[in-house]
Amino acid sequence: QVQLMESGGGSVQAGGSLKLSCAVSGNRDDNSYMGWFRQPPGKERERIADIYFDFGYGTAPYTDSVDGRFTISLDNAKNTLFLEMNSLKPEDSGMYSCAAAKSRGLTCRYTYSNCYWGQGTQVTVSS
């Protein structure tokens, strides 16, 4: 079982920056995938960025709307996943959640039930 707790959300003006953190606790032995997702008000949850660390460490392409502005990273020593967000836009507003796959080889890019989820942290970007 893995527990996830996000922090770092808040209100910011367009063009500003935020850095989200996701503290991971529990047994990560079978976990090889983590990701950041967001759910804008009134819309479906969407994948933002993900990271794989099965053999080495790599990231998958970011969703187009954040590519070049957001950066995902993992600090293994601190068991913390980060999402650095720059040049924020009002359309970036939403509830941001981190996810960790329940077993090696799984992802939740398409199947959300494959992952453990945090409670989320709210990001509001004003114009």
Side-chain angles (χ1 to χ4, degrees):
Q1 186 85 10
V2 169
Q3 293 79 41
L4 307 170
M5 182 173 293
E6 302 92 340
S7 61
S11 296
V12 65
Q13 289 195 321
S17 299
L18 286 172
K19 187 172 183 176
L20 306 184
S21 300
C22 173
V24 185
S25 58
N27 186 356
R28 284 183 51 201
D29 288 350
D30 289 332
N31 172 248
S32 61
Y33 167 92
M34 293 189 70
W36 282 101
F37 295 72
R38 73 182 175 196
Q39 187 165 16
K43 295 186 178 180
E44 297 289 319
R45 179 187 286 167
E46 61 175 346
R47 182 192 70 86
I48 299 299
D50 31 34
I51 192 164
Y52 298 78
F53 41 91
D54 206 348
F55 300 102
Y57 184 151
T59 59
Y62 294 78
T63 195
D64 288 347
S65 61
V66 308
D67 196 15
R69 299 187 297 121
F70 290 14
T71 304
I72 188 172
S73 61
L74 176 67
D75 186 329
N76 268 314
K78 295 182 179 179
N79 278 333
T80 303
L81 182 73
F82 297 101
L83 183 69
E84 186 162 3
M85 307 186 295
N86 297 311
S87 302
L88 283 161
K89 305 175 181 180
E91 52 264 41
D92 293 319
S93 298
M95 181 65 75
Y96 283 69
S97 301
C98 62
K102 292 179 178 177
S103 62
R104 194 167 296 276
L106 291 182
T107 78
C108 46
R109 300 189 90 203
Y110 306 107
T111 306
Y112 295 150
S113 60
N114 284 345
C115 284
Y116 300 107
W117 294 86
Q119 292 297 308
T121 185
Q122 181 69 38
V123 171
T124 303
V125 184
S126 58
S127 56

